[in-house]
Amino acid sequence: MRSLYAFLVGGLFGAGLLLSGMTDTRKVQGWLDLFGDWDPTLAFVMGGAIIPMAIAWRFVPGRAPLLGGAFPAPPAPEVGRKLVLGSVLFGAGWGLAGLCPGPAVASLGFGGWGGLIFLAAMLAGMIAAPSVRNRLDAEPLAS
Amino acid sequence: MQTDWIWGLVGGGLIGTAAAIFLLINGRIMGASGIIGGLVDGSGRDSSAERIALLAGLVGVPALLALIMGGAATHLTSNIWVIIAGGLLVGLGTRIANGCTSGHGVCGISRLSLRGIVATVFYIGAGGLTVVIFKHILGVI
């Protein structure tokens, strides 16, 4: 049952990414290109996605997920250097190629070899990440 | 195109609805990097069936839609070094920051999470700066 819903969620997510144009790297890089031919589409996608999710969060307090278990704990207020450094690295890669993890997966069916190479590199980065996280945690100057 | 923003809103609504279903029914955060990352680094072994099912839908449905619509294009650069560098940075960065556009952006901002907002400011800022440097100054992308 959990997997059936997860499959439906993935399908809706993918359909939304494709229809909104977010699997097109030109639209994503167009949004990031403030000094070029700026494309505001991504802001509409973000806004359109945040509204249903903001409503969903209002149902969470005092309840449990329909399939059992518990809702994810409230986010820690801590803003550390892992969050900042990681987001800067992610943003640099996002700007270079125009793909983030969701669209990278959603475009596999039509993204050709380039899409597969991007995915392989992304997975390699993800495999390397825990050791970098540990090193950042061990560093005495950690914020 | 003039209708792009409407498709943006419609597609965004589908993405947000998907995230809302995953939260209210499965009790999980729909963050792409966390779902994939938990599979590749072994941290999400206990929920791997759910993760694989979500990814199957995420690959399959757009592939089918693209087929019906007569094709879709990513317009990804043909520069293999840019693709590899971009992929490595996206994979590494999202797992160090513990989230990407869907997790920090959609799921975090919608609950007014400070971490989600800060992450989004930094990845959009870094992305914008990267495009300025690599497109307008160096002319690589």
Side-chain angles (χ1 to χ4, degrees), chain B:
Chain B
M1 246 189 289
Q2 277 166 334
T3 56
D4 280 8
W5 66 273
I6 302 175
W7 283 109
L9 266 183
V10 170
L14 292 179
I15 297 167
T17 305
I21 294 173
F22 206 40
L23 176 71
L24 296 177
I25 295 182
N26 289 45
R28 302 230 184 248
I29 298 281
M30 192 191 77
S33 59
I35 291 163
I36 306 163
L39 280 176
V40 298
D41 68 16
S43 62
R45 212 169 286 138
D46 51 329
S47 54
S48 51
E50 198 174 13
R51 290 166 193 265
I52 291 167
L54 190 146
L55 293 175
L58 186 58
V59 176
V61 171
L64 192 70
L65 279 176
L67 212 62
I68 294 168
M69 287 159 44
T74 57
H75 298 116
L76 185 65
T77 172
S78 55
N79 184 330
I80 190 163
W81 301 112
V82 172
I83 296 176
I84 292 174
L88 279 173
L89 285 167
V90 168
L92 189 65
T94 53
R95 290 301 280 164
I96 292 175
N98 212 7
C100 58
T101 342
S102 45
H104 280 314
V106 175
C107 298
I109 291 178
S110 61
R111 80 193 302 195
L112 298 177
S113 147
L114 179 65
R115 284 174 55 82
I117 294 165
V118 169
T120 302
V121 166
F122 276 97
Y123 66 68
I124 289 180
L129 198 64
T130 302
V131 169
V132 168
I133 295 171
F134 284 85
K135 183 177 174 184
H136 296 294
I137 299 176
L138 301 174
V140 182
I141 55 172

Side-chain angles (χ1 to χ4, degrees), chain A residues 91-106:
Chain A
W94 194 39
L96 275 179
L99 285 174
C100 50
V105 174

Side-chain angles (χ1 to χ4, degrees), chain A residues 16-111:
Chain A
L17 287 171
L18 178 71
L19 294 178
S20 62
M22 293 300 102
T23 53
D24 184 345
T25 59
R26 286 201 298 217
K27 293 206 77 63
V28 174
Q29 286 176 322
W31 150 264
L32 292 171
D33 191 4
L34 279 173
F35 299 98
D37 190 11
W38 189 62
D39 184 334
T41 308
L42 192 141
F44 288 96
V45 181
M46 267 285 179
I50 285 171
I51 293 164
M53 198 52 188
I55 296 169
W57 282 119
R58 302 193 73 103
F59 285 93
V60 165
R63 294 193 179 86
L66 234 64
L67 293 179
F71 282 119
E78 159 229 357
V79 173
R81 61 177 182 174
K82 274 183 297 188
L83 185 79
V84 171
L85 177 71
S87 296
V88 167
L89 294 176
F90 161 43
W94 194 39
L96 275 179
L99 285 174
C100 50
V105 174
S107 64
L108 279 181
F110 50 86

